[in-house]
Amino acid sequence: MTEDRFAQSHRFLATAGWDAAQRTPLADDASFRRYERLTLGEQSAILMDAPPAFENVRPFVAVARYLKSRGLAAPEILADDLIQGFLLLEDLGDGVFSRLIDHDDAEEAPLYEMAIDGLIALQTETPPEALSVATGVMHCLPRYDQDLLTREVGLFCDWYLPALGGKPLSDEVRADFMAQWRAPLHRAAQDLDCLTLRDYHADNLMLRTGQGDLDRLGLLDFQDAVIGHKAYDLVSILQDARRDVPPALEAAMLERYLDAGHMEEATFREAYAILGAQRNAKIIGIFARLYLRDGKATYLKLIPRVWELLERDLAHPALSSVKDWIDAHIAPGQRRTPCAPEEFLPRKAMILSAGLGARMRPLTQTCPKPLVTVANKPLLGYSLEGLVAAGVRDVVLNCHYLADQIEEYATDYYDHRLTLTLSDERAELMDSGGGVKQALPLLGRQPFYVLNSDMIWRDGPERQAMLHRLQAFWHAEDMDILLLLVEKDRAYGYDGAGDYHLGPRGRLTHRGNDVTADHVYGGVLIMKPDCFADTPDTPFSLRLLFDRAAAAGRLYGVVHEGDWYHVGTAAAKREMDEILGD
């Protein structure tokens, strides 16, 4: 926790009357949330610290209050700061199911019976689509529909498979993988009629002492709840990524669940297998990402267990096409842990953030353009989030205009996964090409990303992340520079004639004297540092290197398949506030 964040939390606790409490950190979470146990005399409580740049406490508050209204034992919210991201929660104790079972095997069956009974009670009614957070503040529950299920299974091919093969999948191979899931996920996305907590397993369930019946069942970690299929949380508890659930116990608990309901058994078991496969494939992708992107190697040891669960689910006939694809592309001996070197993605990037921002005045009169906020987030923040999500570890920011503010932003940026370094151009603004050349000692000798700071992108719903797509298309033998392209008619905020003609296999030629071109340079590229050989030491534009690469037949492009916005004027900023705002 940074000093500023600690001071903010202390002020929150002072307002709640808990500033004198002893603070003891609890186990790390896979997210950015941190937890501390507070002890004040005979009282105890839990502090949730959820940095608002990465987390949102409103869903937790809304779902907790809904669960409490249903008579289920979610922690009472004793105090909240929705803006700063702090919650003071009832302390449900230390009776975590998994810990109790590890201490005494005889507890396993009774605790799982309680978990199944709690799940049945939770699913007896369909929740409203919007839950109350506070007066006038609502949280809309997402639907666990085919689109969301499909996006999640994409984590398997965007993180785990590249870690096996050493390179992101091509668009064609990825599309083929996703196509095998389309029919089964369509079937499993029917009958969405209950609150699905998504992480309903033995590490998130508590035995509350001194309580009776289902009041003994404490619920944790439900902020990602959706409206989904009844089988999903059953998979969560019975196919646990973190502990072995004996097959006989899984079968007995599945029978217990089915005996209490009125669903058609064969159809339900099919959905159980499909959602089990989807969840386990997703988790393998998440664990690979936690290792490759976040440096959390402890998750690698869990992958073999999840693979075993996935293979069991894939044995269902409804998943035969998925099984066939996996058998054809991944040998059984490979199904363990990510084993390729981490260099399968560029680890370094530069964001061009030194410009004057003249077209955005008066907004840039006292604020550098990269720090102008769009939907309450600095433009620079959108690019940094995208880079972190793609596994980049080191980012260079150049600075010239109002450089002290860029420097302060870099100093205060507290995503531990990312290192920000400044390339100082206070003495002379070096233009785009000269700026990157000056930063080469910080960028190293491997290909790196370069991004403009005045654009925002969104990935297509069934596509891999745009930066991964660029890397998947990158072939160092043929290319010196690979540009992100946007179709001119889909480039929001762009009103020019277009930049490039797209040729066979992605090779680019500039519009030149042509009246128009179909594609616009989207402000993101991969390039080799060797491109800067024989370039001036004075300011120059990257366009010089684009033209040089094009003349050599080594300039290529990939067309973006999501949304793209250029925020170059004050008017565009106002429109983007409406488009991206809550």
Side-chain angles (χ1 to χ4, degrees):
M1 183 183 291
T2 64
E3 291 184 10
D4 286 347
R5 190 67 182 165
F6 183 85
Q8 290 173 355
S9 70
H10 187 76
R11 288 193 292 271
F12 167 70
L13 293 176
T15 302
W18 283 78
D19 52 315
Q22 178 181 343
R23 302 172 61 163
T24 305
L26 297 177
D28 288 341
D29 190 90
S31 70
F32 282 97
R33 295 182 298 275
R34 297 180 67 258
Y35 296 90
E36 296 179 53
R37 172 165 282 134
L38 309 178
T39 306
L40 188 62
E42 299 297 318
Q43 296 179 296
S44 67
I46 301 295
L47 172 66
M48 178 196 290
D49 172 10
F54 308 105
E55 302 284 345
N56 182 0
V57 298
R58 293 182 181 186
F60 185 97
V61 172
V63 177
R65 289 178 173 158
Y66 172 76
L67 293 171
K68 295 286 286 184
S69 73
R70 295 285 320 284
L72 297 165
E76 187 77 34
I77 296 169
L78 307 175
D80 64 74
D81 185 335
L82 304 180
I83 304 301
Q84 295 296 330
F86 294 109
L87 297 179
L88 186 64
L89 305 174
E90 173 190 3
D91 188 352
L92 298 184
D94 292 313
V96 179
F97 275 24
S98 58
R99 192 177 303 151
L100 295 173
I101 295 167
D102 289 342
H103 182 70
D104 183 358
D105 290 345
E107 294 282 356
E108 185 171 53
L111 289 175
Y112 272 83
E113 289 174 356
M114 186 190 305
I116 296 301
D117 293 346
L119 192 57
I120 293 168
L122 172 64
Q123 296 179 347
T124 54
E125 71 173 40
T126 302
E129 293 184 357
L131 303 178
S132 175
V133 179
T135 302
V137 181
M138 303 295 289
H139 167 62
C140 293
L141 288 171
R143 293 182 63 80
Y144 221 172
D145 57 16
Q146 184 174 356
D147 285 346
L148 181 51
L149 291 168
T150 301
R151 284 199 298 273
E152 289 184 343
V153 87
L155 293 166
F156 182 84
C157 54
D158 291 344
W159 287 97
Y160 182 75
L161 292 180
L164 289 179
K167 189 175 180 62
L169 302 187
S170 68
D171 281 354
E172 294 76 18
V173 174
R174 187 184 190 277
D176 187 32
F177 174 80
M178 300 301 287
Q180 311 313 315
W181 288 90
R182 195 165 294 128
L185 290 183
H186 176 74
R187 292 201 292 276
Q190 309 304 310
D191 302 321
L192 308 183
D193 60 0
C194 70
L195 187 70
T196 299
L197 302 186
R198 299 175 80 179
D199 281 311
Y200 190 84
H201 55 74
D203 281 342
N204 285 334
L205 301 177
M206 308 283 291
L207 182 63
R208 303 174 70 213
T209 58
Q211 305 294 326
D213 298 326
L214 285 180
D215 287 337
R216 297 186 299 157
L217 178 63
L219 304 177
L220 299 176
D221 203 12
F222 40 70
Q223 59 281 333
D224 294 326
V226 294
I227 298 175
H229 193 288
K230 288 183 171 68
Y232 190 90
D233 278 347
L234 193 63
V235 168
S236 299
I237 185 66
L238 298 181
Q239 297 188 20
D240 196 326
R242 292 170 175 80
R243 68 178 308 273
D244 293 322
V245 178
L249 179 64
E250 178 185 1
M253 294 302 104
L254 185 52
E255 287 292 343
R256 184 183 185 91
Y257 180 90
L258 289 168
D259 288 345
H262 302 283
M263 64 279 294
E264 200 280 316
E265 182 173 344
T267 301
F268 187 85
R269 286 183 179 274
E270 178 184 87
Y272 181 82
I274 294 170
L275 292 172
Q278 187 272 353
R279 177 176 170 81
N280 290 315
K282 171 184 72 172
I283 289 174
I284 290 171
I286 290 173
F287 286 173
R289 182 177 67 183
L290 285 166
Y291 165 58
L292 293 165
R293 186 189 72 183
D294 303 344
K296 297 181 178 182
T298 57
Y299 287 92
L300 294 182
K301 64 183 180 183
L302 303 177
I303 288 179
R305 175 187 292 115
V306 187
W307 253 114
E308 181 178 346
L309 295 170
L310 174 59
E311 288 174 326
R312 281 170 42 196
D313 291 320
L314 292 175
H316 194 284
L319 291 156
S320 60
S321 63
V322 178
K323 181 181 185 301
D324 289 345
W325 193 98
I326 288 177
D327 288 344
H329 290 80
I330 312 171
Q334 289 183 291
R335 301 173 189 183
R336 295 189 180 91
T337 60
C339 55
E342 295 188 13
E343 289 74 21
F344 77 88
L345 291 174
R347 294 293 177 178
K348 296 190 177 185
M350 181 170 182
I351 302 178
L352 302 172
S353 49
L356 303 177
R359 294 182 64 211
M360 291 194 78
R361 292 182 184 270
L363 297 176
T364 52
Q365 194 72 39
T366 58
C367 175
K369 181 171 66 172
L371 299 185
V372 170
T373 60
V374 173
N376 299 314
K377 182 187 300 182
L379 277 168
L380 195 55
Y382 288 97
S383 293
L384 290 173
E385 285 182 1
L387 290 167
V388 169
V392 171
R393 299 280 178 83
D394 296 286
V395 176
V396 178
L397 308 174
N398 60 344
C399 59
H400 173 80
Y401 178 64
L402 300 177
D404 290 349
Q405 294 185 40
I406 299 291
E407 184 174 18
E408 181 180 2
Y409 181 87
T411 300
D412 292 343
Y413 195 76
Y414 56 92
D415 187 338
H416 65 277
R417 301 170 297 182
L418 202 60
T419 299
L420 301 186
T421 307
L422 291 185
S423 178
D424 198 325
E425 298 180 22
R426 287 179 173 92
E428 182 180 17
L429 184 61
M430 297 299 295
D431 203 349
S432 56
V436 177
K437 182 175 182 179
Q438 178 175 302
L440 285 179
L442 301 172
L443 292 168
R445 298 304 306 164
Q446 298 300 317
F448 50 81
Y449 295 113
V450 179
L451 292 82
N452 293 345
S453 61
D454 57 359
M455 52 82 206
I456 298 171
W457 76 88
R458 290 288 182 267
D459 296 313
E462 292 194 20
R463 310 302 301 196
Q464 63 184 326
M466 177 269 290
L467 296 177
H468 284 195
R469 290 187 65 235
L470 280 177
Q471 180 60 15
F473 196 79
W474 172 258
H475 293 283
E477 298 82 2
D478 302 321
M479 304 175 186
D480 289 335
I481 301 174
L482 176 63
L483 304 182
L484 177 72
L485 300 178
V486 183
E487 293 177 1
K488 181 165 61 70
D489 294 340
R490 297 183 60 190
Y492 181 90
Y494 176 83
D495 57 3
D499 298 319
Y500 289 99
H501 298 302
L502 182 63
R505 298 186 299 111
R507 186 174 290 178
L508 299 182
T509 54
H510 193 264
R511 173 171 61 88
N513 294 324
D514 294 343
V515 175
T516 186
D518 291 336
H519 295 94
V520 178
Y521 167 50
V524 183
L525 61 83
I526 296 175
M527 68 187 311
K528 296 177 179 176
D530 295 346
C531 292
F532 290 88
D534 300 322
T535 54
D537 294 327
T538 53
F540 68 94
S541 170
L542 281 172
R543 173 67 189 279
L544 171 68
L545 304 185
F546 296 175
D547 291 347
R548 183 188 294 179
R554 299 182 63 83
L555 180 70
Y556 285 76
V558 170
V559 179
H560 184 46
E561 296 188 345
D563 298 324
W564 183 90
Y565 311 95
H566 178 235
V567 190
T569 65
K573 177 259 194 293
R574 290 191 295 271
E575 293 180 15
M576 289 306 303
D577 282 335
E578 296 182 7
I579 293 173
L580 298 179
D582 294 334

